[in-house]
Amino acid sequence: EYIMEGLAEKTVLLVTHQVDFLPAFDFVLLMSDGEILQAATYHDLLTSCKDFQDLVNAHRETAGSEGLMDVTSSERHSSSAKEIRKIHVEKEKEFEAPKGDQLIKQEEREIGDHGLKPYLQYLNQNKGYAYFLIASLFHLIFVIGQILQNSWMAANVDNPKVSTLRLILVYLLIGVTSAVFLFMRSLLTVALGLQSSKSLFLQLLNSLFRAPMLFYDSTPLGRILSRVSSDLSIVDLDVPFGLLFAVAATTTCYASLTVLAVVTWQVLFVSIPMIYFALRLQRYYFATAKELMRMNGITKSFIANHLAESVAGAVTIRAFEEEDRFFVKNLDLIDINAAPFFHSFAANEWLIQRLETVSAVVLASAALCMVVLPTGTFSSGVIGMALSYGLSLNASLVFSIQYQ
């Protein structure tokens, strides 16, 4: 069968149903088997093309329309076009969006730092506060156990009154107890993630199923897929473990600084300004890193939307041999999405380099103070423990600043 396309109104008409309107169009394409046979005005096609005449006559015999062949004057042509345009305008007004709005709205993006509000909303799901507080307490007990374990070994490794068996047994007992609390902390973290994710997922499904049709008309499919896939994955995995990692790294960082301060209190004159400098770096870093991650999340929905549209229109794309164009566009969208992700890695490395410098300054200051201490002030085991905690300060400080 033949298909007619009116370029002036951007409307495709099926001839067997809409022949009556063809005189109103400025240009008509005659197509057969996916190929354009002829392109001209309605009257030119009617006088020059035998196939088009047969098609119009067949429709006239079927529908009993005699007036179509008699439309010859330009005045009637113009009046018919105006009437059709008027009908189209009236129909469009019925579905017109409010003034100043558009049907497909731009995806909203948060700006600036919202502080602890998102995390408090997350912890408010299914006893999240209880899981989080108990898990934080267990990790604090684990850190204290680690300090006691190392202190026991450092204080008694050279003590002749403590046998080797007793030294090892007490060290193992403290270590096993600390490991139990660490294991319970991990279980509570997983429980926190499962309960909160389940609650948020059910709320998301309830909102999607109860959303009006206008929501689906104005929201691209890729944006919805991005919410229920990548964004929900971040909520399921990154948020609960990120919260506990922030608490764990911060606790470990301050524990290391405390051990250094106990051995050499003079290091406080260096560590306190360095901590203030690290917090300033954190604020400067987050101002950029959060915007980059938000840009990455928004551009990810464009990829999903383009993929969904390509899959739905695969037949049309292949019919017009536009596979390469859609493939190139998909690669361009992937590049756009990967650009902010790459820059977030660059910003992360920028932060790590400066935090490592801060840790190195604190460790060097502590080591210098230990060197100038009078002989016999502390045992070699205690000094070795302090230096080991100073070396671990680098990693704990980096994780503490990144996850806060």
Side-chain angles (χ1 to χ4, degrees), residues 147 251-264 267-268:
I147 296 176
T251 306
T252 304
C253 178
Y254 287 116
S256 300
L257 291 174
T258 302
V259 172
L260 289 175
V262 169
V263 177
T264 54
V267 78
L268 292 175

Side-chain angles (χ1 to χ4, degrees), residues 120-128 195-196 199-200 203:
L120 295 179
Q121 290 178 347
Y122 179 82
L123 294 176
N124 201 28
Q125 309 292 327
N126 279 356
K127 302 178 181 178
Q195 295 297 327
S196 300
S199 176
L200 292 172
Q203 293 179 36

Side-chain angles (χ1 to χ4, degrees), residues 249-290:
T250 304
T251 306
T252 304
C253 178
Y254 287 116
S256 300
L257 291 174
T258 302
V259 172
L260 289 175
V262 169
V263 177
T264 54
W265 61 268
Q266 296 85 354
V267 78
L268 292 175
F269 292 105
V270 177
S271 60
I272 292 177
M274 288 296 102
I275 292 175
Y276 175 77
F277 178 67
L279 293 177
R280 296 290 296 179
L281 283 176
Q282 180 191 40
R283 292 184 180 181
Y284 187 79
Y285 162 76
F286 276 167
T288 301
K290 288 186 177 181

Side-chain angles (χ1 to χ4, degrees), residues 311-372:
V311 172
V315 176
T316 305
I317 295 172
R318 291 171 182 169
F320 288 92
E321 298 181 352
E322 294 290 339
E323 298 95 332
D324 294 337
R325 182 168 66 87
F326 276 78
F327 183 72
V328 170
K329 184 178 180 181
N330 186 64
L331 292 180
D332 292 339
L333 291 175
I334 293 176
D335 290 339
I336 294 174
N337 174 252
F341 199 65
F342 170 78
H343 290 299
S344 67
F345 272 106
N348 190 32
E349 292 299 323
W350 177 91
L351 176 67
I352 291 176
Q353 181 183 14
R354 283 151 181 79
L355 292 179
E356 287 180 347
T357 304
V358 171
S359 301
V361 171
V362 174
L363 178 60
S365 302
L368 179 62
C369 293
M370 293 176 190
V371 169
V372 300

